Amino acid sequence: LIVLLVLFFSVTLNAQDFWQQLKGPEGGNVGSLYQGSNDILYLYSQYCGYHRSIDDGKNWIRLKTPFVNYHRTYLATNSKDEIFIASSTAGLYRSIDHGQHFDLIMNNENISRYINGIYIDNKNRIYLIADFKIYESLDNGFNFKQIFDSRAYNIQSVYSFHIIDDSTRYIAS
């Protein structure tokens, strides 16, 4: 009984029910915040671009993306710590060196006019949300195939996508 009480109180004492403000980069509002592997944080600001923090948000390093002032860009990382940024109008970019360089791996012309989101599952499959459709890549973003069209279900558009396992997928419209 004493062991159980000690465990209960140690868990209760270590729980943190408060928010702590981080010091972000100067020059704009944060539009998106992402957590990659190894507790690396990424943030996006329309006027400051993408930044990465390896020390819980105390310091931020600007990523050298080929674009900055895009309203609609989306970031995801895979288990190999590669960074993927999908732009609504500029395509899909990948960095294999923690954001020092980005290479264009796919134009929007190959998928759709507008990319609305990106998701990478635990098997490193990449999913792009574009207009009414969801596309899947099994080869690190070089080729995509359409796996879902929301118009077939009388859904206006797709806003978010998440995979639990190979048979359970969630789509928010």
Side-chain angles (χ1 to χ4, degrees):
L1 178 65
I2 293 173
V3 173
L4 289 175
L5 288 174
V6 170
L7 287 175
F8 174 75
F9 284 114
S10 67
V11 171
T12 303
L13 293 174
N14 289 329
Q16 296 179 351
D17 286 334
F18 65 90
W19 291 86
Q20 180 178 354
Q21 183 173 354
L22 302 177
K23 181 182 184 308
E26 297 293 326
N29 296 327
V30 174
S32 303
L33 183 66
Y34 309 89
Q35 182 176 2
S37 62
N38 300 320
D39 293 327
I40 296 174
L41 296 175
Y42 298 92
L43 69 75
Y44 173 73
S45 169
Q46 180 183 356
Y47 300 108
C48 296
Y50 279 98
H51 290 73
R52 152 176 82 91
S53 174
I54 58 174
D55 58 6
D56 294 325
K58 293 179 184 80
N59 297 290
W60 294 93
I61 301 163
R62 185 173 184 159
L63 303 184
K64 296 179 181 175
T65 61
F67 46 86
V68 176
N69 292 329
Y70 281 90
H71 272 302
R72 302 189 73 133
T73 59
Y74 308 92
L75 181 142
T77 59
N78 64 15
S79 64
K80 297 181 277 186
D81 286 328
E82 296 173 326
I83 304 168
F84 291 84
I85 296 179
S87 165
S88 61
T89 56
L92 180 64
Y93 291 80
R94 181 184 67 185
S95 173
I96 59 173
D97 59 5
H98 303 287
Q100 294 300 308
H101 303 92
F102 281 85
D103 295 316
L104 177 68
I105 59 173
M106 186 201 67
N107 289 329
N108 284 21
E109 298 164 359
N110 299 348
I111 293 287
S112 175
R113 188 170 165 192
Y114 296 108
I115 295 174
N116 303 326
I118 184 171
Y119 177 78
I120 300 176
D121 70 6
N122 60 1
K123 295 181 180 177
N124 290 327
R125 295 176 292 200
I126 301 172
Y127 297 89
L128 290 179
I129 301 169
D131 293 331
F132 302 98
K133 301 172 183 171
I134 297 176
Y135 298 87
E136 176 185 56
S137 173
L138 305 175
D139 62 359
N140 221 24
F142 292 101
N143 296 289
F144 283 87
K145 69 176 181 174
Q146 179 186 321
I147 61 167
F148 180 80
D149 188 335
S150 65
R151 294 173 292 188
Y153 299 92
N154 208 18
I155 299 172
Q156 293 294 329
S157 61
V158 176
Y159 295 109
S160 183
F161 179 71
H162 187 75
I163 294 179
I164 301 301
D165 55 41
D166 285 337
S167 63
T168 308
R169 299 174 180 178
Y170 292 98
I171 297 170
S173 64

